Each structure stands twice: as structure tokens, then as C-alpha cells.
Amino acid sequence: MYLGANWKMNLFRNEAISLYSEIVKLGTTNNNCELIVFPSIIHLSELTAVDPKHLGSQNHAESEGFGAFTGEVSLQQIRDIGISTVLIGHSERRELFHENNEVIKTKLSHALNMGFHVVFCCGEGEIDRRNGTYLDFVSSQIKHAFSNISKEMMQNVVIAYEPIWSIGTGNTANNDQIEEMHSFIRKQINDMYSINTANQIRIIYGGSCNANNAASIFSIQDVDGGLIGGASLKLDSFAKIIEAACSHTLK
Ligand code: PGA
């Protein structure tokens, strides 16, 4: 199982250090679960002193090197502090920061070319869900992002399916909806690459996953873990989610 904690723009420095330290202790006692925490970028460097292995960056600049990009952080700078995982394509970046499919494709190909592991997010909004066009929508997000990504590079990719209508709303997708989309995504990877790539890739679910529903979601066919926002900000709820993930065999 693969578990990501997306802290978004939350927590003070001391809170981040203490929560991350506790999470690392829980995560490293069980080998069945790969655990990556995405804190605010400002805390990344300091948290590497606790343990760099379980950290990822929520964002990076579209441009890979240095340059005149005020306020941005580059992949080279992220790698320089010992971080090897990045999150790309989150719906909040797409919607609030206007990252379209083209920007996401560039960020993805730079990160994979530099040897990063990537958690790539996709997912439809409420209108596509209601109109029945949600499979097409997610399919086009994936086709666009991965159009110039090789089969070898796919070994470093985890896909997070996150329906926008379920993120932070408490309105979790139901098990049938999750199963349908995850098996669809796996089939799409099979069509674009190979059966081996499709079988190996981890497809995780995000969107109001919490301590009460995690075990049920993780037991769904084709679900290989979760990307957790709100419920990863409190140790008691995230500890229960880690426990639910760790009781499954490694994928
Ligand atoms: P949520 O967020 O768990 O708070 O719904 C998930 C995410 O945005 O990755």
C-alpha cells in the first residue's frame, strides 16, 4: 500500500516537526506500507533532519533549473535537500493556480527525467460526474500528461484518483465509483503501455478518506493506497489510516 499525507498550507513549524516525527515512527514499524508526507515547502528542509525518506514536495516550478522566477522553488533545489518525491496535478493547483494539462505535462516530464518519484493526481469535477463524462475527463488528463513518458519512467509513478467533488467535502466517493474509476485507469495504462506496467502501477484514492472509511476503501479491488488531506493533520486519525493500510500486503 502507498499512503500520502497532503498537508496543503497547514501547520506551524513546531506542529509539523512533532506530527512528522510521530508519523515516521508509525510508518517505519511496518514494511507493508510506503509512506510519504507532503508538508508546506517552507518546512521541508527542516523535516529532512528528522528523516528525509518519507518526505515529498507539494509543488515545484515548471522550469527545472535556476532563473528569474520570483517565489518559485525548482526541482534542482528540492533534490539538493534530499527530497525525491513530488506531487503533480493536484486539483487545487489546476483550479486555483491555473495549471492546465500542458503545464502539468511539462512538470511531470521534468520530474521523471530528473529521476523523481511522482504522485500524479487526476479526477473529475461534479459536472462531469453528473453528466456521465467522468471517464472521458480522467482519460484525457492521463493521455495528455503521459504522452511523452516512457514505460521505464512509469516505474516511478503513482496515480492518485481524486474526484474534485469529494476533496475536503466529507462526500467520499462510494466503493462502486472508486472501483469503476480505478479499474478504468489501470486499463488505460494497459492500453498506453503494457499489462506489466498496468499491474505494477499503484493507483491510490483521495477525497475525504478518513479513519472510519479507510479500511473499506483500501479493500477495494485496484485500490493500492490513499492520498489523505484533512485526516492526515491529526495523529490519531492518521494513525488509524496507517494501520488500515499496513494490514494489506505491499503492492
Ligand atoms: P481530503 O484531501 O482528504 O481533505 O479530502 C485530499 C487531497 O486533497 O489530496
Side-chain angles (χ1 to χ4, degrees):
M1 285 272 147
Y2 188 101
L3 210 51
N6 179 9
W7 287 355
K8 309 188 182 184
M9 196 176 70
N10 289 297
L11 302 178
F12 286 111
R13 173 178 167 269
N14 286 344
E15 293 170 328
I17 295 171
S18 118
L19 182 57
Y20 179 65
S21 306
E22 292 302 322
I23 288 173
V24 165
K25 275 190 229 151
L26 292 172
T28 48
T29 52
N30 193 314
N31 292 328
N32 282 346
C33 187
E34 199 175 331
L35 187 65
I36 299 287
V37 175
F38 298 91
S40 261
I41 287 195
I42 197 169
H43 297 141
L44 259 183
S45 183
E46 194 160 5
L47 293 181
T48 59
V50 178
D51 187 341
K53 280 197 307 293
H54 302 281
L55 286 172
S57 177
Q58 288 180 20
N59 189 32
H60 59 270
E62 192 181 344
S63 171
E64 57 205 308
F66 297 113
F69 299 101
T70 302
E72 292 292 277
V73 175
S74 84
L75 283 168
Q76 286 192 26
Q77 292 170 318
I78 290 166
R79 184 167 65 185
D80 185 48
I81 61 162
I83 305 296
S84 58
T85 302
V86 289
L87 190 66
I88 297 178
H90 192 281
S91 61
E92 286 151 19
R93 300 283 335 159
R94 292 178 191 261
E95 292 198 331
L96 304 173
F97 301 97
H98 316 293
E99 291 190 2
N100 60 24
N101 280 336
E102 213 40 53
V103 171
I104 285 159
K105 179 178 161 183
T106 305
K107 290 173 86 170
L108 182 69
S109 96
H110 283 160
L112 291 173
N113 275 310
M114 285 177 68
F116 278 90
H117 294 263
V118 171
V119 176
F120 168 81
C121 303
C122 57
E124 82 287 356
E126 204 165 1
I127 293 172
D128 279 297
R129 174 56 60 174
R130 229 184 298 124
N131 290 346
T133 47
Y134 51 95
L135 296 176
D136 288 345
F137 184 85
V138 170
S139 169
S140 77
Q141 285 183 320
I142 291 175
K143 276 194 193 132
H144 207 110
F146 293 100
S147 55
N148 60 354
I149 301 302
S150 70
K151 190 159 55 170
E152 290 66 40
M153 285 178 181
M154 290 304 283
Q155 288 170 6
N156 286 339
V157 173
V158 169
I159 296 180
Y161 168 56
E162 300 203 300
I164 300 168
W165 45 270
S166 76
I167 294 176
T169 58
N171 183 17
T172 320
N174 69 39
N175 288 13
D176 289 343
Q177 291 169 325
I178 297 173
E179 184 164 358
E180 180 189 34
M181 184 61 86
H182 280 233
S183 79
F184 175 78
I185 292 172
R186 207 176 291 285
K187 186 175 170 304
Q188 168 117 35
I189 298 300
N190 180 17
D191 294 345
M192 290 173 71
Y193 294 96
S194 69
I195 183 76
N196 280 347
T197 310
N199 287 338
Q200 276 162 14
I201 198 160
R202 268 100 42 106
I203 306 172
I204 65 177
Y205 171 79
S208 299
C209 184
N210 59 41
N212 297 325
N213 60 27
S216 164
I217 291 171
F218 297 159
S219 69
I220 299 170
Q221 175 85 24
D222 284 319
V223 172
D224 306 314
L227 182 58
I228 320 297
S232 70
L233 290 167
K234 292 262 181 309
L235 185 62
D236 56 348
S237 55
F238 197 53
K240 290 197 182 103
I241 297 171
I242 293 175
E243 200 184 312
C246 289
S247 58
H248 286 264
T249 48
L250 184 65
K251 223 178 152 187

mmCIF file of all heavy atoms in Angstrom, residues 167-198:
data_model
loop_
_atom_site.group_PDB
_atom_site.id
_atom_site.type_symbol
_atom_site.label_atom_id
_atom_site.label_comp_id
_atom_site.label_asym_id
_atom_site.label_seq_id
_atom_site.Cartn_x
_atom_site.Cartn_y
_atom_site.Cartn_z
ATOM 1 N N ILE A 167 -13.071 16.121 -2.470
ATOM 2 C CA ILE A 167 -11.904 16.628 -1.734
ATOM 3 C C ILE A 167 -12.337 17.659 -0.693
ATOM 4 O O ILE A 167 -12.923 18.683 -1.023
ATOM 5 C CB ILE A 167 -10.864 17.260 -2.696
ATOM 6 C CG1 ILE A 167 -10.276 16.184 -3.613
ATOM 7 C CG2 ILE A 167 -9.751 17.946 -1.915
ATOM 8 C CD1 ILE A 167 -9.315 16.718 -4.651
ATOM 9 N N GLY A 168 -12.074 17.319 0.563
ATOM 10 C CA GLY A 168 -12.352 18.243 1.667
ATOM 11 C C GLY A 168 -13.825 18.484 1.923
ATOM 12 O O GLY A 168 -14.181 19.421 2.636
ATOM 13 N N THR A 169 -14.698 17.672 1.339
ATOM 14 C CA THR A 169 -16.141 17.915 1.471
ATOM 15 C C THR A 169 -16.824 16.938 2.430
ATOM 16 O O THR A 169 -17.960 17.150 2.823
ATOM 17 C CB THR A 169 -16.839 17.757 0.104
ATOM 18 O OG1 THR A 169 -16.576 16.421 -0.385
ATOM 19 C CG2 THR A 169 -16.342 18.769 -0.913
ATOM 20 N N GLY A 170 -16.143 15.838 2.745
ATOM 21 C CA GLY A 170 -16.779 14.792 3.544
ATOM 22 C C GLY A 170 -17.650 13.892 2.675
ATOM 23 O O GLY A 170 -18.245 12.917 3.142
ATOM 24 N N ASN A 171 -17.718 14.224 1.400
ATOM 25 C CA ASN A 171 -18.555 13.473 0.463
ATOM 26 C C ASN A 171 -17.675 12.452 -0.284
ATOM 27 O O ASN A 171 -17.359 12.639 -1.449
ATOM 28 C CB ASN A 171 -19.195 14.493 -0.503
ATOM 29 C CG ASN A 171 -20.144 13.859 -1.473
ATOM 30 O OD1 ASN A 171 -20.585 12.721 -1.268
ATOM 31 N ND2 ASN A 171 -20.434 14.568 -2.559
ATOM 32 N N THR A 172 -17.300 11.396 0.414
ATOM 33 C CA THR A 172 -16.397 10.399 -0.168
ATOM 34 C C THR A 172 -17.077 9.680 -1.332
ATOM 35 O O THR A 172 -18.275 9.389 -1.260
ATOM 36 C CB THR A 172 -16.030 9.346 0.911
ATOM 37 O OG1 THR A 172 -15.844 10.024 2.137
ATOM 38 C CG2 THR A 172 -14.798 8.556 0.552
ATOM 39 N N ALA A 173 -16.319 9.394 -2.384
ATOM 40 C CA ALA A 173 -16.889 8.572 -3.473
ATOM 41 C C ALA A 173 -17.253 7.207 -2.893
ATOM 42 O O ALA A 173 -16.586 6.724 -1.969
ATOM 43 C CB ALA A 173 -15.851 8.414 -4.581
ATOM 44 N N ASN A 174 -18.319 6.595 -3.411
ATOM 45 C CA ASN A 174 -18.673 5.286 -2.853
ATOM 46 C C ASN A 174 -17.799 4.192 -3.492
ATOM 47 O O ASN A 174 -17.107 4.424 -4.490
ATOM 48 C CB ASN A 174 -20.181 5.004 -2.956
ATOM 49 C CG ASN A 174 -20.640 4.785 -4.385
ATOM 50 O OD1 ASN A 174 -19.951 4.150 -5.179
ATOM 51 N ND2 ASN A 174 -21.818 5.312 -4.720
ATOM 52 N N ASN A 175 -17.827 3.016 -2.873
ATOM 53 C CA ASN A 175 -16.897 1.961 -3.292
ATOM 54 C C ASN A 175 -17.070 1.570 -4.761
ATOM 55 O O ASN A 175 -16.098 1.272 -5.442
ATOM 56 C CB ASN A 175 -17.034 0.737 -2.378
ATOM 57 C CG ASN A 175 -16.451 1.005 -0.996
ATOM 58 O OD1 ASN A 175 -16.174 2.153 -0.643
ATOM 59 N ND2 ASN A 175 -16.245 -0.043 -0.216
ATOM 60 N N ASP A 176 -18.300 1.585 -5.264
ATOM 61 C CA ASP A 176 -18.526 1.233 -6.677
ATOM 62 C C ASP A 176 -17.903 2.287 -7.597
ATOM 63 O O ASP A 176 -17.300 1.951 -8.630
ATOM 64 C CB ASP A 176 -20.028 1.148 -6.992
ATOM 65 C CG ASP A 176 -20.647 -0.082 -6.348
ATOM 66 O OD1 ASP A 176 -19.887 -0.998 -5.959
ATOM 67 O OD2 ASP A 176 -21.887 -0.101 -6.209
ATOM 68 N N GLN A 177 -18.070 3.549 -7.222
ATOM 69 C CA GLN A 177 -17.493 4.641 -8.041
ATOM 70 C C GLN A 177 -15.966 4.541 -8.062
ATOM 71 O O GLN A 177 -15.328 4.729 -9.097
ATOM 72 C CB GLN A 177 -17.917 6.000 -7.477
ATOM 73 C CG GLN A 177 -19.398 6.300 -7.649
ATOM 74 C CD GLN A 177 -19.843 7.530 -6.854
ATOM 75 O OE1 GLN A 177 -19.347 7.788 -5.758
ATOM 76 N NE2 GLN A 177 -20.789 8.288 -7.395
ATOM 77 N N ILE A 178 -15.392 4.242 -6.889
ATOM 78 C CA ILE A 178 -13.926 4.146 -6.806
ATOM 79 C C ILE A 178 -13.440 2.956 -7.638
ATOM 80 O O ILE A 178 -12.514 3.065 -8.438
ATOM 81 C CB ILE A 178 -13.469 4.018 -5.328
ATOM 82 C CG1 ILE A 178 -13.865 5.279 -4.536
ATOM 83 C CG2 ILE A 178 -11.961 3.790 -5.251
ATOM 84 C CD1 ILE A 178 -13.621 5.197 -3.034
ATOM 85 N N GLU A 179 -14.106 1.837 -7.465
ATOM 86 C CA GLU A 179 -13.684 0.620 -8.181
ATOM 87 C C GLU A 179 -13.768 0.821 -9.693
ATOM 88 O O GLU A 179 -12.851 0.452 -10.444
ATOM 89 C CB GLU A 179 -14.556 -0.566 -7.751
ATOM 90 C CG GLU A 179 -14.105 -1.854 -8.379
ATOM 91 C CD GLU A 179 -14.690 -3.081 -7.686
ATOM 92 O OE1 GLU A 179 -15.424 -2.932 -6.683
ATOM 93 O OE2 GLU A 179 -14.405 -4.185 -8.162
ATOM 94 N N GLU A 180 -14.860 1.428 -10.150
ATOM 95 C CA GLU A 180 -15.032 1.651 -11.589
ATOM 96 C C GLU A 180 -13.885 2.505 -12.148
ATOM 97 O O GLU A 180 -13.257 2.164 -13.160
ATOM 98 C CB GLU A 180 -16.368 2.357 -11.872
ATOM 99 C CG GLU A 180 -16.593 2.608 -13.360
ATOM 100 C CD GLU A 180 -17.788 3.501 -13.653
ATOM 101 O OE1 GLU A 180 -18.077 4.420 -12.868
ATOM 102 O OE2 GLU A 180 -18.434 3.286 -14.710
ATOM 103 N N MET A 181 -13.576 3.605 -11.443
ATOM 104 C CA MET A 181 -12.549 4.509 -11.966
ATOM 105 C C MET A 181 -11.151 3.889 -11.884
ATOM 106 O O MET A 181 -10.355 4.004 -12.819
ATOM 107 C CB MET A 181 -12.581 5.844 -11.212
ATOM 108 C CG MET A 181 -11.607 6.861 -11.752
ATOM 109 S SD MET A 181 -11.908 7.306 -13.499
ATOM 110 C CE MET A 181 -13.146 8.611 -13.323
ATOM 111 N N HIS A 182 -10.862 3.210 -10.776
ATOM 112 C CA HIS A 182 -9.516 2.628 -10.647
ATOM 113 C C HIS A 182 -9.271 1.547 -11.693
ATOM 114 O O HIS A 182 -8.186 1.468 -12.269
ATOM 115 C CB HIS A 182 -9.299 2.091 -9.227
ATOM 116 C CG HIS A 182 -8.965 3.162 -8.247
ATOM 117 N ND1 HIS A 182 -7.869 3.115 -7.421
ATOM 118 C CD2 HIS A 182 -9.583 4.349 -7.982
ATOM 119 C CE1 HIS A 182 -7.825 4.235 -6.690
ATOM 120 N NE2 HIS A 182 -8.868 4.974 -6.993
ATOM 121 N N SER A 183 -10.268 0.719 -11.948
ATOM 122 C CA SER A 183 -10.043 -0.327 -12.957
ATOM 123 C C SER A 183 -9.979 0.300 -14.353
ATOM 124 O O SER A 183 -9.225 -0.154 -15.212
ATOM 125 C CB SER A 183 -11.079 -1.448 -12.867
ATOM 126 O OG SER A 183 -12.254 -1.051 -13.472
ATOM 127 N N PHE A 184 -10.713 1.385 -14.563
ATOM 128 C CA PHE A 184 -10.638 2.110 -15.837
ATOM 129 C C PHE A 184 -9.236 2.694 -16.048
ATOM 130 O O PHE A 184 -8.661 2.600 -17.140
ATOM 131 C CB PHE A 184 -11.696 3.232 -15.841
ATOM 132 C CG PHE A 184 -11.619 4.117 -17.045
ATOM 133 C CD1 PHE A 184 -12.125 3.711 -18.272
ATOM 134 C CD2 PHE A 184 -11.023 5.374 -16.963
ATOM 135 C CE1 PHE A 184 -12.037 4.537 -19.395
ATOM 136 C CE2 PHE A 184 -10.937 6.200 -18.073
ATOM 137 C CZ PHE A 184 -11.441 5.780 -19.292
ATOM 138 N N ILE A 185 -8.677 3.295 -14.984
ATOM 139 C CA ILE A 185 -7.333 3.891 -15.096
ATOM 140 C C ILE A 185 -6.303 2.790 -15.384
ATOM 141 O O ILE A 185 -5.420 2.937 -16.225
ATOM 142 C CB ILE A 185 -6.965 4.672 -13.811
ATOM 143 C CG1 ILE A 185 -7.843 5.915 -13.686
ATOM 144 C CG2 ILE A 185 -5.477 5.049 -13.794
ATOM 145 C CD1 ILE A 185 -7.731 6.673 -12.367
ATOM 146 N N ARG A 186 -6.453 1.659 -14.701
ATOM 147 C CA ARG A 186 -5.490 0.563 -14.933
ATOM 148 C C ARG A 186 -5.582 0.078 -16.385
ATOM 149 O O ARG A 186 -4.584 -0.196 -17.033
ATOM 150 C CB ARG A 186 -5.732 -0.590 -13.940
ATOM 151 C CG ARG A 186 -4.459 -1.379 -13.671
ATOM 152 C CD ARG A 186 -4.640 -2.461 -12.629
ATOM 153 N NE ARG A 186 -4.863 -2.002 -11.285
ATOM 154 C CZ ARG A 186 -3.908 -1.490 -10.476
ATOM 155 N NH1 ARG A 186 -2.668 -1.375 -10.908
ATOM 156 N NH2 ARG A 186 -4.202 -1.095 -9.254
ATOM 157 N N LYS A 187 -6.805 0.009 -16.908
ATOM 158 C CA LYS A 187 -6.973 -0.425 -18.293
ATOM 159 C C LYS A 187 -6.340 0.593 -19.245
ATOM 160 O O LYS A 187 -5.711 0.226 -20.241
ATOM 161 C CB LYS A 187 -8.468 -0.603 -18.606
ATOM 162 C CG LYS A 187 -8.711 -1.186 -19.964
ATOM 163 C CD LYS A 187 -10.164 -1.481 -20.240
ATOM 164 C CE LYS A 187 -10.352 -1.836 -21.714
ATOM 165 N NZ LYS A 187 -9.860 -0.798 -22.631
ATOM 166 N N GLN A 188 -6.501 1.859 -18.897
ATOM 167 C CA GLN A 188 -5.902 2.907 -19.731
ATOM 168 C C GLN A 188 -4.370 2.788 -19.757
ATOM 169 O O GLN A 188 -3.744 2.955 -20.805
ATOM 170 C CB GLN A 188 -6.314 4.266 -19.155
ATOM 171 C CG GLN A 188 -5.553 5.413 -19.744
ATOM 172 C CD GLN A 188 -6.444 6.383 -20.496
ATOM 173 O OE1 GLN A 188 -7.589 6.615 -20.113
ATOM 174 N NE2 GLN A 188 -5.933 6.936 -21.556
ATOM 175 N N ILE A 189 -3.778 2.474 -18.631
ATOM 176 C CA ILE A 189 -2.314 2.315 -18.569
ATOM 177 C C ILE A 189 -1.913 1.072 -19.376
ATOM 178 O O ILE A 189 -0.903 1.063 -20.070
ATOM 179 C CB ILE A 189 -1.829 2.230 -17.092
ATOM 180 C CG1 ILE A 189 -2.171 3.531 -16.343
ATOM 181 C CG2 ILE A 189 -0.333 1.927 -17.010
ATOM 182 C CD1 ILE A 189 -1.537 4.800 -16.912
ATOM 183 N N ASN A 190 -2.738 0.051 -19.306
ATOM 184 C CA ASN A 190 -2.502 -1.145 -20.131
ATOM 185 C C ASN A 190 -2.516 -0.775 -21.619
ATOM 186 O O ASN A 190 -1.618 -1.154 -22.379
ATOM 187 C CB ASN A 190 -3.587 -2.191 -19.796
ATOM 188 C CG ASN A 190 -3.434 -3.465 -20.593
ATOM 189 O OD1 ASN A 190 -2.370 -3.712 -21.167
ATOM 190 N ND2 ASN A 190 -4.482 -4.261 -20.653
ATOM 191 N N ASP A 191 -3.515 -0.002 -22.028
ATOM 192 C CA ASP A 191 -3.620 0.386 -23.441
ATOM 193 C C ASP A 191 -2.447 1.275 -23.874
ATOM 194 O O ASP A 191 -1.968 1.177 -25.001
ATOM 195 C CB ASP A 191 -4.932 1.157 -23.704
ATOM 196 C CG ASP A 191 -6.153 0.270 -23.493
ATOM 197 O OD1 ASP A 191 -5.989 -0.969 -23.429
ATOM 198 O OD2 ASP A 191 -7.273 0.818 -23.365
ATOM 199 N N MET A 192 -1.984 2.136 -22.977
ATOM 200 C CA MET A 192 -0.907 3.064 -23.345
ATOM 201 C C MET A 192 0.473 2.425 -23.234
ATOM 202 O O MET A 192 1.397 2.821 -23.928
ATOM 203 C CB MET A 192 -0.940 4.306 -22.438
ATOM 204 C CG MET A 192 -2.132 5.215 -22.682
ATOM 205 S SD MET A 192 -2.225 6.556 -21.452
ATOM 206 C CE MET A 192 -0.855 7.601 -21.915
ATOM 207 N N TYR A 193 0.615 1.454 -22.332
ATOM 208 C CA TYR A 193 1.946 0.867 -22.079
ATOM 209 C C TYR A 193 1.903 -0.647 -22.258
ATOM 210 O O TYR A 193 2.029 -1.139 -23.365
ATOM 211 C CB TYR A 193 2.453 1.278 -20.687
ATOM 212 C CG TYR A 193 2.713 2.753 -20.599
ATOM 213 C CD1 TYR A 193 1.738 3.622 -20.081
ATOM 214 C CD2 TYR A 193 3.900 3.309 -21.062
ATOM 215 C CE1 TYR A 193 1.966 4.980 -20.035
ATOM 216 C CE2 TYR A 193 4.130 4.672 -21.014
ATOM 217 C CZ TYR A 193 3.158 5.509 -20.504
ATOM 218 O OH TYR A 193 3.382 6.860 -20.457
ATOM 219 N N SER A 194 1.670 -1.365 -21.151
ATOM 220 C CA SER A 194 1.662 -2.833 -21.235
ATOM 221 C C SER A 194 0.914 -3.383 -20.035
ATOM 222 O O SER A 194 0.659 -2.662 -19.062
ATOM 223 C CB SER A 194 3.102 -3.361 -21.210
ATOM 224 O OG SER A 194 3.640 -3.123 -19.917
ATOM 225 N N ILE A 195 0.633 -4.657 -20.102
ATOM 226 C CA ILE A 195 -0.068 -5.299 -18.988
ATOM 227 C C ILE A 195 0.795 -5.263 -17.725
ATOM 228 O O ILE A 195 0.297 -5.065 -16.613
ATOM 229 C CB ILE A 195 -0.516 -6.742 -19.364
ATOM 230 C CG1 ILE A 195 -1.316 -7.409 -18.232
ATOM 231 C CG2 ILE A 195 0.633 -7.646 -19.767
ATOM 232 C CD1 ILE A 195 -2.718 -6.928 -18.113
ATOM 233 N N ASN A 196 2.110 -5.407 -17.902
ATOM 234 C CA ASN A 196 3.017 -5.372 -16.739
ATOM 235 C C ASN A 196 3.004 -4.003 -16.066
ATOM 236 O O ASN A 196 2.915 -3.899 -14.844
ATOM 237 C CB ASN A 196 4.461 -5.682 -17.160
ATOM 238 C CG ASN A 196 4.649 -7.167 -17.319
ATOM 239 O OD1 ASN A 196 3.795 -7.952 -16.901
ATOM 240 N ND2 ASN A 196 5.758 -7.550 -17.935
ATOM 241 N N THR A 197 3.098 -2.961 -16.891
ATOM 242 C CA THR A 197 3.074 -1.600 -16.335
ATOM 243 C C THR A 197 1.751 -1.382 -15.600
ATOM 244 O O THR A 197 1.718 -0.828 -14.494
ATOM 245 C CB THR A 197 3.232 -0.545 -17.458
ATOM 246 O OG1 THR A 197 4.353 -0.911 -18.252
ATOM 247 C CG2 THR A 197 3.427 0.845 -16.911
ATOM 248 N N ALA A 198 0.662 -1.833 -16.214
ATOM 249 C CA ALA A 198 -0.660 -1.647 -15.606
ATOM 250 C C ALA A 198 -0.767 -2.380 -14.272
ATOM 251 O O ALA A 198 -1.333 -1.866 -13.312
ATOM 252 C CB ALA A 198 -1.745 -2.121 -16.567
#
